[in-house]
Amino acid sequence: MTQKKAPFPKKSLGQNFLISPSVANRIVNACGLKPTDTVLEIGPGKGALTGALSKKVHTVIAVEKDRRLAEHLREGHQGSNIHIVHGDILDYPLDTLPRGTKIIGNLPYNIATLIIKTVIQERARFSDFFATVQWEYGQRLAARPGTKAYGSLSCFVQYYADIQLLFKIKNTAFWPSPKIQSCFCHFKFSGKPQRKANNKDLLFQIIRASFGQRRKTIGNALSVLYGKEKTARFLEKSGISPRLRAENISLEQFIGLADTVEGEERDDKEAGQNG
Ligand code: SAM
């Protein structure tokens, strides 16, 4: 049977296909795969990584939203250790995958954050997550305090994972070629969070509010949530100068601040009830 020609790319699905075999090899080699591994590939597209992955591991489960591509891939990989699933990765039951599964994908850039959040929710199941993302976006994921790229995304992701930007990928490695460069990065979940916040919803609320007005000092930005007086008290107890800006406050300091706010709010509430 002759194989049908692969269908034309859909921009709405972030379809920029990897056309460089050397980059594909570099990606697959960077993932430290073992013959016993199960890999979940997000968005296999035309299969630039899929075949090479399947040679290194026990099973590849590849979830592709575009029906045309899923069918095309299925035809090409019948009877192999590759299971093509036609579906949306955001709806895929990640909790059914074997523990220790590795997740790999050249992500559709338009939903990269949603995918990362979805994977983080089920992170206990996965040893590693490798992803190609846009270069600037990768810089934000891995940014350290005191840099322009550092923001609420950096704090959120680094709370749950150690992020390493492994290498840069030129835009010409993809077709259609995107305007910007990409990078391949590694999220390692083990040993995280290093320090747990007592209330992580509160932590991320504080972080969002602080970076939401990143030109303001932390004292002014948080006054919107807690008023001037309380904010000053919380910051002093946490050892953070109210004159600092969010970009100069480490995740560790934000965790300390959130724990202080939680404790103080609870004490205030109890004092109110008793008095
Ligand atoms: N892995 C292929 C490669 O490197 O050539 C394709 C990468 S392309 C950047 C992203 C792929 O993700 C496309 O094949 C696209 O159809 C697929 N995709 C987009 N949204 C998706 C979703 N929600 N769930 C699963 N796949 C999706």
Side-chain angles (χ1 to χ4, degrees):
M1 191 175 76
T2 51
Q3 228 190 302
K4 276 184 252 154
K5 241 181 132 204
F8 207 74
K10 276 188 187 168
K11 210 174 167 186
S12 62
L13 289 177
Q15 290 179 351
N16 299 95
F17 299 112
L18 185 63
I19 50 168
S20 161
S22 64
V23 173
N25 276 335
R26 201 166 172 203
I27 288 178
V28 172
N29 289 335
C31 299
L33 300 167
K34 295 194 297 286
T36 49
D37 280 339
T38 296
V39 163
L40 172 73
E41 189 191 356
I42 298 175
K46 296 181 183 184
L49 302 177
T50 321
L53 287 170
S54 74
K55 292 194 182 98
K56 297 238 172 201
V57 301
H58 187 265
T59 307
V60 177
I61 300 163
V63 181
E64 173 55 58
K65 187 168 180 182
D66 187 332
R67 181 188 297 277
R68 308 166 309 161
L69 291 172
E71 283 172 2
H72 184 78
L73 274 177
R74 242 182 232 137
E75 279 178 25
H77 292 289
Q78 276 166 10
S80 72
N81 59 345
I82 304 172
H83 302 281
I84 308 290
V85 179
H86 168 232
D88 189 326
I89 191 63
L90 301 174
D91 299 329
Y92 187 82
L94 295 177
D95 59 348
T96 59
L97 291 166
R99 284 195 180 272
T101 295
K102 289 181 173 145
I103 305 188
I104 299 170
N106 289 339
L107 300 186
Y109 294 156
N110 46 348
I111 55 164
T113 302
L114 280 176
I115 293 176
I116 291 169
K117 284 188 172 166
T118 306
V119 171
I120 281 177
Q121 260 170 25
E122 289 296 334
R123 67 193 176 284
R125 203 156 269 284
F126 308 115
S127 55
D128 299 87
F129 174 29
F130 294 91
T132 302
V133 297
Q134 288 177 327
W135 174 254
E136 283 78 10
Y137 184 81
Q139 300 293 308
R140 285 170 57 209
L141 292 175
R144 309 303 300 168
T147 62
K148 247 178 129 179
Y150 181 63
S152 50
L153 178 72
S154 331
C155 290
F156 173 75
V157 172
Q158 290 172 32
Y159 182 75
Y160 294 109
D162 279 319
I163 315 283
Q164 241 189 312
L165 305 188
L166 298 179
F167 50 87
K168 197 168 185 169
I169 305 176
K170 282 194 180 156
N171 54 340
T172 49
F174 295 93
W175 179 81
S177 174
K179 287 200 179 75
I180 33 192
Q181 322 283 327
S182 300
C183 62
F184 190 59
C185 50
H186 180 196
F187 300 67
K188 210 165 174 36
F189 299 120
S190 62
K192 285 283 187 163
Q194 241 157 18
R195 175 177 169 190
K196 264 192 174 176
N198 292 334
N199 178 340
K200 63 178 165 37
D201 292 338
L202 177 66
L203 168 68
F204 295 128
Q205 187 190 8
I206 289 173
I207 289 174
R208 276 196 306 273
S210 306
F211 283 103
Q213 315 199 40
R214 61 187 293 150
R215 289 175 149 209
K216 285 192 177 177
T217 62
I218 182 92
N220 286 335
L222 290 185
S223 294
V224 179
L225 285 182
Y226 302 112
K228 264 192 173 345
E229 248 176 59
K230 271 190 176 183
T231 299
R233 172 156 57 96
F234 295 158
L235 289 170
E236 196 191 337
K237 279 217 158 190
S238 314
I240 298 173
S241 161
R243 287 191 298 277
L244 284 179
R245 292 194 164 73
E247 67 195 40
N248 292 309
I249 298 172
S250 67
L251 174 58
E252 181 78 2
Q253 285 176 301
F254 275 121
I255 296 171
L257 175 60
D259 286 354
T260 302
V261 172
E262 213 227 358
E264 294 280 304
E265 293 276 71
R266 197 182 41 231
D267 290 349
D268 285 355
K269 209 168 157 190
E270 278 168 15
Q273 278 164 0
N274 296 334

